[in-house]
Amino acid sequence: MKISVVVPCYNEQESILLFYEEINKVSEGMEQEFEFIFVNDGSSDHTLEYMKELSKKDERVKYVSFSRNFGKEAAIHAGFSKAEGDYIVMMDADLQDPPCLLPEMLSYMEQGYDSVATRRVTRKGEPPIRSFFARMFYKIINKISNVDIVDGARDYRLMTAQMKDAILAMPEYNRFSKGIFGWVGFRTKWLEYENVERVAGETKWNLWKLFLYSIEGIIAFSTAPLVLSSVFGILFCILSFALIVFIIVRTILFGDPVAGWPSLVCIMFFIGGIQLFCHGITGQYLSKTYLETKNRPKYIIKDTNI
Ligand code: UDP
Ligand code: MG
């Protein structure tokens, strides 16, 4: 029985050694064989040097290094493609995904689950505004998408090789893991834990990046926004019909004094805004389709020891 640990790393020089120490300690207490796949996602610091050093010291350590920063989703994909274990687990390098949960996760796999996923029940230590938007995002996406996307779910997840292969078989370029994991199905056990703060270094996400990421998630796993433009269209047809009737009746009853250009301008601006908004939605889907059809590689590997 072999477990592959996939770790995406982007500028993690402060935490990578701490992470290795921790996972090494956990692996010593377990009877399974391990391999650690560190994916260097185009770091500009000494992350890669640390990976190479670790791989010299410990032959279970493998590394894959990208030619530039391709994003966490690409790093996960690369790690999965290289993983040879019977079970695969992915963890962040910053110890926000506590490796000490691993034995417990494994015990559930033995009970017949295909996957054990984790969710944090608190968002302690996170800026309140970030938590607020995160909650809103989960509410919205679960309403408009068929895929179950769990609030507070982390990417920390243990799964069988079969499930990993199912994930790799999804060829899309715009990868939204939280959706992909839900989409492939399989029996999943959810473990809950309190939020842990990053040991060292800084988060790679700011509010704007998170916003773009959430749009990506919605576009990738729901077509509801497209329906929205039709709904707006119908709504405004009904409204304008009512207005026409109103104006005809008023003209017949009170004649036609020239007035009302300010309201006309307001209405034009309003409808114009809605039209642009709907254009934008269509454009989002079109741009994603455009990127998919280009069929570009999801990442480029520059250096590896596998
Ligand atoms: N990460 C990555 N590529 C990126 C951004 C992040 O591989 O472009 C990795 C990062 O090194 C870390 C994990 O993804 O191991 C989670 O990132 P981070 O801790 O910054 O996110 P947060 O925990 O704040 O959501
Ligand atoms: Mg983190």
Side-chain angles (χ1 to χ4, degrees), residues 82-103:
K82 300 287 183 193
E84 287 176 341
D86 306 280
Y87 288 151
I88 290 84
V89 61
M90 45 195 266
M91 293 180 196
D92 287 359
D94 58 7
L95 288 176
Q96 276 191 302
D97 300 333
C100 56
L101 284 180
L102 205 52

